[in-house]
């Protein structure tokens, strides 16, 4: 920024001294064009997952494994994230904004919260509706998460314990 129009070149020169993977992540993050760009770097995905109470007990390596299959999505105010009867094939980690969950116990999820985790407890179809109030989420598909949980016992312990804890709190 201090270098003015030549700043991008200066930044690239400095980043060339770092590990290429880290440099690419940093460059992508700091040269993003506005807040509406839904693309997140892998490092940002790890950060947002690990700042949630659901994934906070994961180490960096486990966060990396989970983030590989996470996809950033943005929903406008009033958009349906999922509806009753939809397949419970993913869970969602809120990056920013709010989603209203209408089920047996209506509630709201905001930054750092996870919702839609009931598929991890064996629910095949959604029992509640999730409506955005302007939310950006990381969608984590259940199938790859379950494969990684089988291969990484720490991921299994954290994810299943938290899914059961959320069930107990909502009961």
């Amino acid at each position: 920024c201090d270098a003015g129009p030549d700043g991008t070149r200066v930044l690239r020169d400095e980043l060339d001294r770092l590990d290429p993977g880290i440099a690419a992540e940093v460059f992508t993050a700091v040269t993003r064009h506005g807040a509406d760009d839904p693309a997140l770097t892998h490092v940002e995905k790890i950060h947002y997952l690990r700042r949630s109470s659901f994934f906070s007990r994961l180490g960096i390596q486990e966060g990396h494994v989970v983030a590989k299959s996470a996809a950033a999505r943005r929903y406008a105010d009033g958009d349906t994230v999922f509806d009753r009867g939809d397949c419970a094939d993913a869970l969602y980690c809120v990056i920013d904004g709010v989603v209203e969950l209408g089920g047996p116990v209506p509630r709201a999820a905001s930054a750092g919260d996870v919702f839609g985790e009931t598929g991890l407890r064996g629910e095949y179809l959604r029992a509640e509706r999730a409506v955005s109030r302007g939310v950006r989420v990381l969608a984590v598909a259940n199938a790859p998460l379950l494969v990684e949980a089988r291969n990484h016992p720490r991921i299994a312990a954290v994810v299943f314990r938290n899914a059961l804890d959320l069930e107990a709190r909502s009961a």
Side-chain angles (χ1 to χ4, degrees):
C1 292
D2 294 337
D6 215 20
T8 301
R9 183 194 54 74
V10 171
L11 178 60
R12 277 197 193 277
D13 291 344
E14 291 299 318
L15 292 175
D16 282 343
R17 298 180 189 150
L18 296 175
D19 172 86
I22 294 171
E25 293 278 341
V26 170
F27 188 78
T28 300
V30 299
T31 61
R32 182 166 296 137
H33 299 297
D36 290 334
D37 184 358
L40 293 176
T41 68
H42 189 67
V43 171
E44 288 172 314
K45 289 178 186 180
I46 294 168
H47 166 75
Y48 288 123
L49 287 171
R50 291 189 68 233
R51 83 168 186 183
S52 75
S53 59
F54 194 88
F55 292 109
S56 65
R57 291 186 178 130
L58 293 180
I60 295 292
Q61 186 59 38
E62 292 100 357
H64 161 72
V65 169
V66 173
K68 286 190 301 187
S69 64
R73 295 185 185 154
R74 182 181 301 277
Y75 295 91
D77 187 25
D79 285 354
T80 300
V81 178
F82 56 76
D83 212 339
R84 287 179 192 90
D86 287 353
C87 184
D89 59 354
L91 62 86
Y92 301 84
C93 178
V94 179
I95 296 171
D96 52 48
V98 175
V99 66
E100 292 176 352
L101 301 154
V105 180
R107 59 190 171 93
S110 58
D113 292 334
V114 167
F115 65 96
E117 77 295 335
T118 55
L120 295 176
R121 297 191 305 263
E123 182 178 283
Y124 180 69
L125 299 176
R126 302 278 184 199
E128 62 185 2
R129 182 171 199 232
V131 177
S132 169
R133 292 299 164 224
V135 71
R136 190 168 53 135
V137 298
L138 280 174
V140 181
N142 290 348
L145 181 58
L146 292 172
V147 168
E148 296 302 348
R150 184 182 65 211
N151 296 328
H152 301 273
R154 178 92 176 118
I155 292 173
V158 168
V159 168
F160 293 123
R161 179 184 321 142
N162 288 334
L164 291 173
D165 284 351
L166 284 175
E167 178 182 40
R169 277 187 249 145
S170 66

